[in-house]
Structures are given as C-alpha cells and as structure tokens.
Amino acid sequence: MRRKILTALMAVVMMATSVMPAFAQTHQKIRLPKNQVWMYAGDISRTGSYSYVVASCEAVYPIKGADTFKKVQVRVKDTKGHVITAREKTVLTEGKKETKLKLREGYYAAKIVKFQFRGNTKKEAYAIVNYNAR
C-alpha cells in the first residue's frame, strides 16, 4: 500500500513539473490582420519575479503572394488594458533570438498579462511567435 501511494505521489509530481513550464511560455501561430490591427494572443500567468517578459518571432509570411515579411510588433498589457512594457511597442525580427521586453515600474508583480501582436506593414500575414511571461 505504501509503495502504491509513493508511486502515485511521484506521478503527480512529475505531471506538475512537466505542466508548469508550458503555463508560462507559449508557442503560437497567429493571423495578423491588415492595417496593423493588434491581435490578442492570450492571457498568460507570470511569477512576478522578473522585471521583463520575452518574445520572439520564428516566422512571418503573407496570407498570399511573395514572402517579403521579416518583422512583427509586440506589446504587453495587464488585465486592465494598460500597456505595461517600457515601450508602447517593440519590433521583433523573424528568426532572431528572444527579445527582453522591460516592464514599467509598478507592474513587476502583475500575475496575468496579455501579449498582443500585429504586422509591421499594412498587409495581412501569419506569424509564428513565442512569448514567455517569466
């Protein structure tokens, strides 16, 4: 009986540790509408232990036509709709390593944040993005 309880406990611990990283980091394909409209990528939890979040763009490509896209824009808001990054928007370049987005003072402890992305031109596109709320 004791062995079964220990085995069950170990299984729960392993599941919890494998789920936690996915809770804070996201890999997502999103559609970026024409005219640079901000697309809400989702709510994501954070620890509140960092003064920044990170984001990157793996790929950005047109809905149709020649692929001339290389950049997307990102911003992060709190649950009240305030932009909480030091810059109103940050440009991410396709294929570059993750970019640190410094948070404004007073927002470090935000537990839920909302990442938003838009194209860097007026044309619509798809983008594959990564973001981590830390």
Side-chain angles (χ1 to χ4, degrees), residues 103-120:
L103 300 179
R104 293 179 182 177
E105 285 191 39
Y107 292 99
Y108 296 172
K111 295 294 184 184
I112 305 285
V113 296
K114 300 169 181 288
F115 278 79
Q116 294 181 322
F117 295 88
R118 71 179 184 183
N120 204 42

Side-chain angles (χ1 to χ4, degrees), residues 10 19 22 39 46-47 52-53 64 86 100-101 104 106 119:
M10 289 298 291
V19 171
M39 282 302 298
R46 56 186 312 273
T47 65
Y52 64 93
V53 296
K64 58 184 176 181
K100 284 185 181 180
L101 308 172
R104 293 179 182 177

Side-chain angles (χ1 to χ4, degrees), residues 28-77:
Q28 187 174 351
K29 177 182 175 181
I30 56 174
R31 186 180 179 129
L32 304 172
K34 63 183 179 178
N35 298 323
Q36 292 186 291
V37 174
W38 286 105
M39 282 302 298
Y40 168 70
D43 288 0
I44 188 166
S45 296
R46 56 186 312 273
T47 65
S49 300
Y50 295 86
S51 62
Y52 64 93
V53 296
V54 296
S56 65
C57 175
E58 283 185 26
V60 57
Y61 52 93
I63 303 295
K64 58 184 176 181
D67 184 1
T68 58
F69 298 137
K70 299 287 179 227
K71 298 178 180 183
V72 298
Q73 296 176 15
V74 62
R75 70 181 179 187
V76 182
K77 291 186 167 189

